[in-house]
Amino acid sequence: MSTFFDIVASAGLWAAVLRIATPLIFGTLGALLSERSGVLNLGIEGIMTFGAMAGWLAVFNGADLWTGMLVAALSGALFGLVHAAMTVTLGLSQHVTGLGITLFASSLSYYIFRLTVPLASTPPTVTPFQPISVPGLSDLPFVGPALFTQTLPTYLSIVIALLLAYVVYRTPLGLALRMSGENPHAAEAQGVDPVRVRYGAIMAGSALMAMGGAFLTLSAFNSFFPTMVQGRGWICIALVVFASWRPGRALFGALLFAFFDAFQLRLQTVLGNVPYQIFLMMPYILSIAALAVMARRARVPQALMQPYRRGER
């Protein structure tokens, strides 16, 4: 028992929680934004992969790190535009379109990467974001090294989560977003254009997803490999349900999954006689249990996955 307490009381654990949670925060907020407007985006896994590649490739070719993040966001928004055109304008299946984008974006990422680096036995590296020490806070015992020695994209993800929570529930834009996901015909009657709202939400959400992928290559690691997203996109889809489509809960859910993941990594070093596959399963098993409890109380946006046609009811 003392071993478990020592792990939990370690500042390194909580620093790792924030690092592991950052791509999940970006991805979950992106998926939440899209679903709040009424459109499920299962292209998230491929969009995150392409964002990781696009951001890394931009920096590898001489751009600065923030330009790399911007390039990733723009590439994600472009895939969001494709998804919106197929699901909002054409009314095609959101499931099939999203999965198609995941397959296409993932394959295109690997193809472009191999065109750029055809013969490298090991992936080339870039200089990633460095941890920033917050003056006056980084020196605090325990809290300082745990919370205030992160890279700037980590702080950005938390700021975006708080900002999105404010926008969704405290602004006319957020009301239009929620109306488009609940009852787009009622939104249309009030002068809101649900098509425009859905397009904007899908593109902005896809940009956030791609930024989550870019965090992996430009902050968490320093190179790109095609399988590096490792299912994080699907975790983000589950976290949206866990969060009941609320940005604040989405932030908490990402941190909770990251805690399970960081905890099992440290537990492996302590309980070395237990097969490591057991530890790898732990975050997912505990997340499924938490999802089963929270999903029973979740209120799904009423128009989620329902095509919208002007003038039709």
Side-chain angles (χ1 to χ4, degrees):
M1 186 62 69
S2 62
T3 300
F4 294 150
F5 177 79
D6 291 340
I7 294 176
V8 174
S10 166
L13 170 71
W14 297 102
V17 166
L18 283 178
R19 287 195 302 272
I20 294 171
T22 300
L24 299 177
I25 295 172
F26 278 118
T28 303
L29 293 177
L32 184 148
L33 189 58
S34 179
E35 292 183 31
R36 266 296 185 180
S37 74
V39 180
L40 175 68
N41 191 351
L42 293 181
I44 181 170
E45 186 81 3
I47 292 172
M48 290 183 73
T49 302
F50 195 89
M53 186 280 301
W56 172 85
L57 186 60
V59 176
F60 180 69
N61 285 307
D64 62 78
L65 291 168
W66 285 112
T67 301
M69 292 290 287
L70 178 61
V71 168
L74 292 175
S75 68
L78 182 60
F79 279 109
L81 177 62
V82 173
H83 188 62
M86 292 185 174
T87 58
V88 179
T89 302
L90 300 179
L92 302 180
S93 168
Q94 296 177 13
H95 292 94
V96 175
T97 301
L99 292 174
I101 287 177
T102 281
L103 294 173
F104 174 69
S106 299
S107 301
L108 184 61
S109 301
Y110 184 66
Y111 177 70
I112 294 175
F113 175 69
R114 278 304 170 204
L115 283 180
T116 307
V117 191
L119 300 175
S121 57
T122 58
T125 61
V126 298
T127 302
F129 283 99
Q130 299 301 311
I132 300 296
S133 296
V134 181
L137 296 177
S138 299
D139 297 328
L140 293 174
F142 185 79
V143 176
L147 303 181
F148 298 109
T149 55
Q150 302 292 331
T151 59
L152 285 175
T154 294
Y155 298 125
L156 177 64
S157 69
I158 296 173
V159 170
I160 291 176
L162 299 176
L163 181 62
L164 187 59
Y166 175 80
V167 169
V168 169
Y169 292 106
R170 295 289 187 270
T171 67
L173 178 61
L175 179 60
L177 176 71
R178 287 182 284 127
M179 288 180 67
S180 298
E182 296 287 348
N183 191 334
H185 298 289
E188 183 184 26
Q190 295 298 318
V192 174
D193 187 350
V195 172
R196 185 174 297 180
V197 171
R198 288 186 172 186
Y199 261 82
I202 295 168
M203 292 178 66
S206 297
L208 288 175
M209 297 172 188
M211 289 175 67
F215 175 84
L216 296 174
T217 50
L218 301 181
S219 184
F221 306 103
N222 59 0
S223 60
F224 171 78
F225 50 95
T227 59
M228 69 187 314
V229 175
Q230 293 183 330
R232 288 179 175 88
W234 310 128
I235 292 296
C236 292
I237 295 295
L239 287 175
V240 173
V241 181
F242 171 84
S244 299
W245 289 268
R246 295 175 178 270
R249 291 185 183 178
L251 175 60
F252 171 74
L255 291 171
L256 182 63
F257 180 87
F259 169 77
F260 293 153
D261 201 7
F263 185 75
Q264 66 86 13
L265 288 171
R266 283 153 179 76
L267 206 57
Q268 287 186 44
T269 63
V270 177
L271 304 177
N273 57 336
V274 179
Y276 74 93
Q277 292 87 349
I278 300 295
F279 299 107
L280 294 177
M281 290 190 297
M282 278 182 54
Y284 300 94
I285 294 174
L286 294 173
S287 298
I288 290 171
L291 180 63
V293 173
M294 297 298 295
R296 303 178 73 176
R297 306 176 185 176
R299 184 179 180 277
V300 182
Q302 295 301 301
L304 181 61
M305 295 186 290
Q306 295 181 10
Y308 167 72
R309 293 286 185 273
R310 281 191 176 92
E312 296 181 5
R313 288 185 179 273

